[in-house]
Amino acid sequence: MRRWGLVLGLGFLWAPILLLVGYAFSADRIPFQWGGFSLRWFAALAENERMLEAAWLSLRIAAGSATLAVLLGGLAGWALSRLGPFRGRALFGTLAGAPLVLPEVVTGLSLLLLFVALQGVLGWPANRGALTVLLAHATVGMAYVAVVVQARLAGFDRSLEEAAADLGASPFTVFRTVTLPLIAPALAAGWLLAFTLSLDDVVVASFVSGPAGTTLPMLVFSALRMGVTPEVNALAAVILAVVGLLVGLAGLILQRSRRNLPGAG
Amino acid sequence: MRRLLLLAPPWLWLLLFVAAPVLILLAIGLAEPADGVPPFLPPLGWEAGRPVWQGSGASLAVLTEDGWYALAFLRSLWVAGVSAGLCLLLAYPLALGIARARPSRRLPLLLLVLLPFWTGFLPRVGAWIGLLRDGGWVNGVLMGLGVVQEPVPLLYSDTALLIGMVHAYLPFAVLPLTAALLRLDPALEEAAADLGASPFTVFRTVTFPLSLPGAAAGFLLVFIPAAGEFVIPSLLGPPEAQLVGRVLWDEFFQNRDWPLASALAVALLLALILPIRLFQRLEARS
């Protein structure tokens, strides 16, 4: 009985994905129809200039925004769980968590309006594209990183930091030598989370981007609006392989960090 | 002093990129549409050295007066509610299976639930487009089983929309539910069983009531993003039935009515404040 629940749920989650990957290797022009084994759609993908260009742009945006998100979200998560009461803490917490619960269309539209207003007042950003998408994705990613870091720090006794402070370490030294190593795995996991969220986003990017900034999801979305193509299936298979690799890597990092810190849950 | 130095960057970022945009959104919701770039008159203008009010509540009035928008809102909330309910229905057996598995198997099983979430929205929605079309797998299976004689039009229907929603958001419901079930003290269930309760009675009277906070969190975690969802309805749903996410998108990108799109966004926020507050309460308690 219990097994059946798992089989049913996991089957529903995985069947479409496995079929999609399987049929990416089909020669047939109609997707999800078997026409013999072939790598032609992967080859077509490798020659699709627009797709490759968009993929490269998306990867750079994802890496940049994830890095910014880790810096800002790490500080925010640390402040929320370790600084105690500071002025405006409630507002800070609400703002840090807001991107998690705001609908994507609201986030996208409001950020676009901000960029338009900034351009009107300051003349910056001069045009919308990769940079505005990067800033938007960093904002959303920051919220996720802050949550992951907060959860990690909640699992540790504050006494570790207090001991360092009692021994004469300045707050900054405590942060650098005790807190930072503790949250390093959370930062790594948060970076990966922010990276994949950025690679996956259509809605926010569509709002804040300009004519020169077509990301890979934006391109795939407009292709899917015309109906699914075998090329999109091949692309999905590639994404799946890359994500599987990254998640496996993250799992390894987390496992290793757990082994090094026997006190951690 | 250094504390301030570490706190300043996230503070400034949040004020500039989270607080300011929402305030601007509220302001543009009150703006008057106009020809030009950007296509609206700011609600506060400068004339002869002092501020002049030139906004209007016209866009907000359209939302309340035109039944089309109210209908889109109701439909969105309905779709979000049904999606979240279906997610819970599927998530229960999954979460129970994970929570009751041997401890060494729990993490791999949980990863199996979460991994599809990491493969991206679009590829999964794309897969359903291929599977649900007339000559697709789902119709093939249904005809093979003799359930239907000829292909049923599944794609671009409410059925397809709900399947896509549940598939996309199921992991969101499984996570808090699994956490709630893992926190539950197994001694309680054992005590009920020892006192002669059947497995079903144990579930009904002990497991289920104690897992309710987790179930509520899972429901809201699906409901909140589903209410404003744009991608799944526009790729799988019926083209004529409008949802808030799509209406907002079309007002913005096709009609270039920025004030109306902003007013819609504000209305969506207002509609979601209650579920969001509820979710944050549940989170704070656990």
Side-chain angles (χ1 to χ4, degrees):
Chain A
M1 179 56 213
R2 213 165 279 152
R3 287 266 160 79
W4 277 110
L6 271 177
V7 169
L8 191 81
L10 289 177
F12 171 69
L13 277 175
W14 280 97
I17 296 169
L18 295 178
L19 283 171
L20 179 148
V21 173
Y23 280 100
F25 295 93
S26 158
D28 206 291
R29 188 166 285 284
I30 301 171
F32 295 95
Q33 197 141 298
W34 193 249
F37 179 86
S38 148
L39 294 173
R40 65 183 282 203
W41 302 115
F42 293 94
L45 203 63
E47 282 164 15
N48 189 332
E49 289 284 335
R50 278 188 71 203
M51 202 78 111
L52 290 178
E53 218 168 275
W56 177 229
L57 180 72
S58 280
L59 283 173
R60 279 180 300 161
I61 290 175
S65 64
T67 307
L68 253 176
V70 161
L71 290 172
L72 293 159
L75 284 175
W78 165 78
L80 283 169
S81 67
R82 284 299 194 261
L83 270 191
F86 57 88
R87 191 185 287 191
R89 189 188 186 282
L91 177 66
F92 186 88
T94 307
L95 292 178
L100 300 175
V101 288
L102 287 181
E104 286 177 309
V105 283
V106 176
T107 307
L109 177 60
S110 64
L111 278 167
L112 167 78
L113 294 175
L114 171 82
F115 291 133
V116 170
L118 282 178
Q119 191 180 16
V121 178
L122 303 173
W124 178 93
N127 41 45
R128 295 188 293 279
L131 177 68
T132 44
V133 178
L134 189 147
L135 294 173
H137 284 176
T139 305
V140 178
M142 171 187 180
Y144 282 88
V145 176
V147 169
V148 178
V149 168
Q150 253 183 294
R152 174 86 181 171
L153 279 175
F156 286 107
D157 210 323
R158 207 185 264 260
S159 60
L160 289 171
E161 283 129 315
E162 280 161 6
D166 287 347
L167 292 170
S170 71
F172 189 72
T173 311
V174 173
F175 179 78
R176 199 171 47 83
T177 58
V178 180
T179 318
L180 205 56
L182 282 183
I183 59 174
L187 293 179
W191 191 90
L192 280 177
L193 187 58
F195 183 83
T196 43
L197 281 169
S198 166
L199 264 191
D200 201 24
D201 166 68
V202 197
V203 175
V204 176
S206 297
F207 274 101
V208 301
S209 193
T214 305
T215 64
L216 186 63
M218 285 162 73
L219 201 67
V220 173
F221 177 67
S222 57
L224 284 179
R225 274 194 149 170
M226 306 289 122
V228 69
T229 67
E231 225 174 315
V232 172
N233 277 2
L235 178 68
V238 173
I239 293 177
L240 198 73
V242 172
V243 168
L245 218 71
L246 285 177
V247 171
L249 208 70
L252 268 178
I253 293 173
L254 277 177
Q255 220 162 20
R256 183 166 294 180
S257 73
R258 207 167 283 168
R259 224 176 290 145
N260 290 347
L261 292 160
Chain B
M1 200 51 226
R2 281 192 161 136
R3 213 171 100 131
L4 197 73
L5 222 66
L6 289 173
L7 206 50
W11 247 133
L12 290 176
W13 192 279
L14 289 173
L15 288 175
L16 180 61
F17 290 110
V18 183
V22 173
L23 293 176
I24 296 174
L25 189 74
L26 292 172
I28 307 301
L30 294 170
E32 193 74 62
D35 288 329
V37 181
F40 59 84
L41 276 177
L44 267 183
W46 280 96
E47 224 167 77
R50 59 201 179 90
V52 209
W53 174 253
Q54 50 187 21
S56 82
S59 297
L60 286 172
V62 168
L63 292 190
T64 46
E65 281 156 19
D66 194 332
W68 150 262
Y69 297 103
L71 203 67
F73 260 98
L74 285 179
R75 258 188 70 87
S76 296
L77 297 180
W78 179 79
V79 165
V82 174
S83 304
L86 289 173
C87 277
L88 268 191
L89 224 57
L90 260 171
Y92 248 108
L94 263 175
L96 270 176
I98 294 170
R100 301 289 156 78
R102 252 178 275 147
S104 63
R105 286 211 185 137
R106 278 181 205 147
L107 190 66
L109 281 173
L110 204 58
L111 269 183
L112 269 180
V113 172
L114 293 180
L115 208 56
F117 167 71
W118 294 77
T119 63
F121 244 42
L122 287 173
R124 282 183 291 158
V125 178
W128 283 112
I129 296 180
L131 293 173
L132 290 170
R133 71 198 156 80
D134 286 0
W137 257 69
V138 175
N139 265 312
V141 169
L142 286 178
M143 289 200 298
L145 291 174
V147 181
V148 294
Q149 299 307 314
E150 49 192 77
V152 225
L154 288 168
L155 193 56
Y156 309 125
S157 71
D158 278 337
T159 315
L161 167 62
L162 288 174
I163 290 177
M165 290 282 229
V166 173
H167 195 247
Y169 287 113
L170 182 58
F172 286 66
V174 175
L175 262 190
L177 205 51
T178 309
L181 289 173
L182 283 174
R183 269 199 302 271
L184 194 149
D185 186 354
L188 293 171
E189 286 165 328
E190 281 159 23
D194 287 347
L195 292 172
S198 70
F200 180 71
T201 311
V202 173
F203 178 80
R204 194 171 53 82
T205 57
V206 180
T207 317
F208 179 70
L210 287 175
S211 67
L212 271 182
F219 183 92
L220 292 169
L221 215 48
V222 176
F223 183 88
I224 294 166
E229 175 64 34
F230 163 74
V231 173
I232 299 171
S234 51
L235 288 179
L236 294 174
E240 71 285 354
Q242 287 290 352
L243 299 176
V244 172
R246 282 180 82 181
V247 173
L248 194 158
W249 181 281
D250 289 345
E251 290 298 348
F252 181 83
F253 285 101
Q254 271 157 34
N255 301 343
R256 279 182 64 78
D257 191 337
W258 291 21
L260 189 54
S262 304
L264 272 164
V266 172
L268 182 59
L269 272 186
L270 288 178
L272 286 180
I273 275 184
L274 205 69
I276 288 174
R277 293 294 304 158
L278 211 64
F279 173 70
Q280 286 168 337
R281 273 247 190 103
L282 282 167
E283 281 294 278
R285 227 193 301 166
S286 66

